Amino acid sequence: MKPAETILLDHGSGGRASQELIKNIFLAQLDNPVLACLEDSALVETGAGRLAFTTDSYVVDPIFFPGGDIGELAINGTINDLAMRGAKPLCLSLGLILEEGFPLADLQRVIASVRTACNRADVPVVTGDTKVVPRGKGDKIFINTSGIGLVDPGLDISSRNAGPGDMIILSGSMGDHGITILTQRAGISLQGNLRSDTLALHRLVQKMLAAAPGAVHTLRDPTRGGVATSLNEIAAAAQVAVELDENQLPIKPEVGAACEILGMDPLYLANEGKCLALVAAEHADRLLALMRSLPEGADAAIIGRVTKGPAGRVRLNTAAGGSRIVQSLTGEPLPRIC
Amino acid sequence: MKPAETILLDHGSGGRASQELIKNIFLAQLDNPVLACLEDSALVETGAGRLAFTTDSYVVDPIFFPGGDIGELAINGTINDLAMRGAKPLCLSLGLILEEGFPLADLQRVIASVRTACNRADVPVVTGDTKVVPRGKGDKIFINTSGIGLVDPGLDISSRNAGPGDMIILSGSMGDHGITILTQRAGISLQGNLRSDTLALHRLVQKMLAAAPGAVHTLRDPTRGGVATSLNEIAAAAQVAVELDENQLPIKPEVGAACEILGMDPLYLANEGKCLALVAAEHADRLLALMRSLPEGADAAIIGRVTKGPAGRVRLNTAAGGSRIVQSLTGEPLPRIC
């Protein structure tokens, strides 16, 4: 296939096109061992401790949605990227790109959400920047949040550490955020309580790490591209296979209904307050019970396991008793979900 | 005056409107002692060392210009924000917001500049993120770079440390970057060699700090809002006055000519490879000589001094023998300069 010569919406959807952009342009030019890990945060040895460092831009449309807004999403999302390396979040930056004409009342509302999310998570914004672009050269507000965390010496949470026999825990229901944004954009109003799951997971993660030292091998928050894409990336990084049980996938009834209407597969929908934890089998039940005892993990479920191979393959045992391959998100432009 | 109810271009020009936005919205809601410093970088005590942390978004228009491009600008600018606290830059993040339809060849060119600037400065990009927005909802490419640096224990470079008697050194000519962008946007082609001064200053700063420990009180890179706005901010933070000598201001002839044509005052134009250093008087000549011996500071000049008061006032002794007050940039929308 001839490669695209311009940026397509698909390049921003977190699936295969995004990965090709990363490989062909970013890694091809900027390659270094830390960047090449392609984890949720970079780990940097400073001589004065180990730091986790991460960045994310938020361009979600609409900026206000049931369950949250772009400000809350930006704070929680970057905290989660730090948490997925086992880091204790230390501080955040806040970079705004505002469109001329954006109402100051909306800016106030977004920054109030930033404050609430920071206070709730106990992680401060310590530095910021604001740029303004003319009307029609941006879209209301884009937010970049970068974050720094501290990682205990010896702690090694990484996609590459997923090993055969590991059990895969998902901390709660799938697709809540993605389907909320998509129904808002489609103008669909449904019965029930569709809302974003935006939530900071650093406390949940710290409790898991403390409860079973060494048992948590891999953590990933399945945002763009969803559970399917995250597991494909993990399987490729660790050179293992993954087996999922469709019967065990936690999906809220209203999310399932909305997915049917819109023709979406919840495995590919973004989550903003969930993590995948790949853990040693002998600790899986205990960790699951711990997660379920916490509000962030009340609906956690063991959704599958890691097997030896073939490397990079994700297979789903269907509810009907069959089995199918689950690939990374491909060719579905689902941009501006986060 | 009734406050604006929407975001105006002026809110992004780095002058008084930007400062009001920071005070009325960001600090009003997110206030904490680290953020409230409003320096080029935040200083964070980690228990495992002192970190400098900074963020900047780049929305410059055009993205390619004489002397550089948005990629090089983003790397050098964030390195400079770290350097202005005396930090040794450690690593950078790279967050891209791309517009659908942006040519991949242009993305390649920008990322090649990122690489060149990183290599030249010896500071790597270790983490990144890419989002795509639909055509007409962005403008080609916006870049956020955040950065982490290490600050030696005991080092305290801050606007608040400027004291009466300090001499003010500017590391080179004023306004090169700002006027280059403005003439490009105006479609004006001039004789001479107008080009951006984009340059990383961390090595210059480290050499100054090593040459005269304790003598450098304040460092600031006068980007948006220019030398005038930076000095107003410093004078307000340190509760001192500043006196400038117009005769001593280094301005390239071609920059002066372009400023006359466009009706701009170089004191308000953005610089991207210059710093203001406020230093103890007894070390000023030696530091000036050191700066002039280095390529980054070849055109450095002592442009003025700090006096006792009135607090916050910046006064210019004009070439004609008079004197005038120099205020922060106000009401001049000069957005998308960086």
Side-chain angles (χ1 to χ4, degrees):
Chain A
M1 201 183 92
K2 193 162 161 288
E5 284 171 4
T6 65
I7 288 294
L8 309 174
L9 287 175
D10 195 19
H11 284 120
S13 54
R16 196 167 294 177
S18 305
Q19 290 162 18
E20 281 169 9
L21 202 63
I22 290 169
K23 197 180 103 202
N24 297 337
I25 299 194
F26 304 131
L27 285 186
Q29 300 227 42
L30 305 178
D31 200 17
N32 62 61
V34 183
L35 182 65
C37 288
L38 295 180
E39 303 270 355
D40 285 327
S41 298
L43 285 201
V44 184
E45 301 285 348
T46 71
R50 286 171 92 203
L51 299 179
F53 184 30
T54 191
T55 192
D56 242 326
S57 297
Y58 294 83
V59 299
V60 63
D61 171 37
I63 62 170
F64 301 108
F65 45 80
D69 66 30
I70 189 171
E72 189 179 353
L73 203 64
I75 299 301
N76 291 342
T78 290
I79 287 174
N80 288 346
D81 279 343
L82 294 171
M84 295 305 117
R85 301 303 298 276
K88 296 186 186 93
L90 192 64
C91 57
L92 302 172
S93 65
L94 184 73
L96 306 181
I97 300 176
L98 305 177
E99 185 189 12
E100 180 190 14
F102 182 57
L104 283 181
D106 286 354
L107 180 61
Q108 287 273 19
R109 190 175 157 195
V110 169
I111 301 301
S113 290
V114 164
R115 180 186 56 183
T116 304
C118 285
N119 289 348
R120 204 176 283 151
D122 199 22
V123 183
V125 167
V126 296
T127 188
D129 174 62
T130 303
K131 294 293 189 304
V132 178
V133 294
R135 219 177 272 269
K137 299 294 185 184
D139 194 11
K140 300 186 270 294
I141 178 169
F142 300 147
I143 301 184
N144 178 284
T145 38
S146 300
I148 304 179
L150 291 177
V151 184
D152 283 344
L155 188 63
D156 183 19
I157 310 284
S158 161
S159 291
R160 285 165 304 176
N161 295 345
D166 285 357
M167 300 304 282
I168 303 173
I169 310 178
L170 179 60
S171 68
S173 59
M174 280 199 315
D176 300 17
H177 177 77
I179 204 71
T180 300
I181 300 300
L182 290 173
T183 52
Q184 289 285 309
R185 284 227 293 267
I188 296 172
S189 174
L190 290 166
Q191 294 286 335
N193 189 19
L194 271 190
R195 48 195 291 128
S196 170
D197 57 349
T198 179
L199 192 66
L201 299 171
H202 56 312
R203 293 192 183 100
L204 172 82
V205 167
Q206 288 301 320
K207 285 173 186 156
M208 292 171 68
L209 298 179
V216 177
H217 299 157
T218 302
L219 292 166
R220 183 69 78 95
D221 60 332
T223 56
R224 283 184 294 173
V227 167
T229 304
S230 289
L231 287 175
N232 266 277
E233 289 175 8
I234 293 168
Q239 292 289 293
V240 295
V242 160
E243 197 176 301
L244 294 177
D245 300 321
E246 190 171 29
N247 277 331
Q248 303 305 319
L249 295 172
I251 302 171
K252 289 184 179 153
E254 57 267 41
V255 172
C259 281
E260 284 202 12
I261 291 170
L262 291 174
M264 304 300 305
D265 182 340
L267 276 167
Y268 292 97
L269 289 179
N271 310 276
E272 291 291 340
K274 301 293 157 48
C275 69
L276 290 160
L278 282 65
V279 307
E282 62 271 29
H283 296 281
D285 288 336
R286 198 155 58 90
L287 285 168
L288 179 67
L290 169 69
M291 293 168 80
R292 285 188 171 162
S293 75
L294 299 168
E296 304 98 308
D299 299 321
I302 293 177
I303 63 169
R305 64 210 65 82
V306 178
T307 62
K308 258 192 192 158
R313 193 186 70 180
V314 179
R315 195 160 57 87
L316 179 76
N317 300 319
T318 66
S323 129
R324 66 173 171 93
I325 300 299
V326 174
Q327 301 196 310
S328 285
L329 180 68
T330 311
E332 293 242 29
L334 296 174
R336 307 194 68 182
I337 285 294
C338 58
Chain B
M1 200 183 94
K2 191 161 163 288
E5 283 171 5
T6 65
I7 289 294
L8 309 174
L9 287 174
D10 195 18
H11 284 121
S13 53
R16 197 166 295 178
S18 306
Q19 289 162 17
E20 281 168 9
L21 201 64
I22 289 169
K23 198 180 100 204
N24 297 337
I25 299 194
F26 304 131
L27 285 187
Q29 301 227 40
L30 304 178
D31 200 17
N32 63 60
V34 183
L35 181 64
C37 289
L38 295 180
E39 303 269 355
D40 285 328
S41 298
L43 285 201
V44 185
E45 301 285 347
T46 71
R50 284 172 90 204
L51 299 179
F53 184 31
T54 191
T55 192
D56 242 326
S57 297
Y58 293 83
V59 299
V60 63
D61 171 37
I63 61 171
F64 300 108
F65 45 80
D69 65 29
I70 190 172
E72 190 179 352
L73 204 64
I75 299 302
N76 291 343
T78 290
I79 288 173
N80 288 347
D81 279 343
L82 294 172
M84 295 306 116
R85 301 303 300 274
K88 296 187 187 91
L90 194 65
C91 57
L92 302 172
S93 66
L94 185 72
L96 306 180
I97 299 176
L98 305 176
E99 184 189 11
E100 181 189 14
F102 183 58
L104 283 181
D106 286 353
L107 180 61
Q108 288 271 16
R109 193 176 154 194
V110 169
I111 301 300
S113 289
V114 165
R115 179 186 57 184
T116 304
C118 285
N119 289 348
R120 206 178 280 150
D122 199 22
V123 183
V125 167
V126 297
T127 187
D129 174 61
T130 303
K131 295 293 190 302
V132 178
V133 293
R135 219 178 275 266
K137 300 293 185 184
D139 193 11
K140 298 187 270 295
I141 179 171
F142 300 146
I143 302 183
N144 177 284
T145 38
S146 301
I148 304 178
L150 291 178
V151 183
D152 283 345
L155 188 63
D156 182 20
I157 310 284
S158 161
S159 291
R160 286 166 303 175
N161 294 345
D166 285 357
M167 300 304 284
I168 303 173
I169 310 177
L170 179 61
S171 69
S173 58
M174 279 199 316
D176 300 20
H177 178 78
I179 203 71
T180 300
I181 300 301
L182 289 173
T183 53
Q184 289 283 310
R185 284 227 291 266
I188 297 171
S189 175
L190 292 165
Q191 293 287 336
N193 189 21
L194 270 191
R195 45 195 292 128
S196 170
D197 57 350
T198 178
L199 192 67
L201 298 171
H202 57 312
R203 293 194 183 99
L204 172 81
V205 167
Q206 287 301 319
K207 283 173 187 157
M208 291 171 68
L209 298 180
V216 178
H217 299 158
T218 303
L219 293 166
R220 183 69 77 97
D221 59 334
T223 56
R224 283 184 294 172
V227 168
T229 304
S230 289
L231 287 175
N232 268 278
E233 290 175 8
I234 292 168
Q239 292 288 294
V240 295
V242 160
E243 197 177 301
L244 295 177
D245 300 320
E246 190 171 29
N247 278 330
Q248 303 306 317
L249 295 172
I251 301 171
K252 289 184 179 155
E254 56 267 40
V255 172
C259 281
E260 287 203 9
I261 292 171
L262 292 174
M264 304 300 305
D265 182 342
L267 276 167
Y268 292 96
L269 289 179
N271 310 275
E272 292 290 341
K274 301 293 156 45
C275 68
L276 290 160
L278 282 64
V279 308
E282 63 270 29
H283 296 282
D285 288 338
R286 198 156 57 89
L287 284 168
L288 178 67
L290 170 69
M291 292 167 81
R292 284 188 171 163
S293 75
L294 300 168
E296 303 98 310
D299 299 321
I302 293 177
I303 63 169
R305 64 209 66 81
V306 178
T307 62
K308 259 193 194 157
R313 193 187 69 180
V314 179
R315 195 159 58 86
L316 178 75
N317 301 319
T318 66
S323 130
R324 65 172 172 94
I325 300 298
V326 174
Q327 300 196 308
S328 285
L329 180 67
T330 312
E332 293 241 30
L334 296 173
R336 308 195 68 183
I337 285 294
C338 58

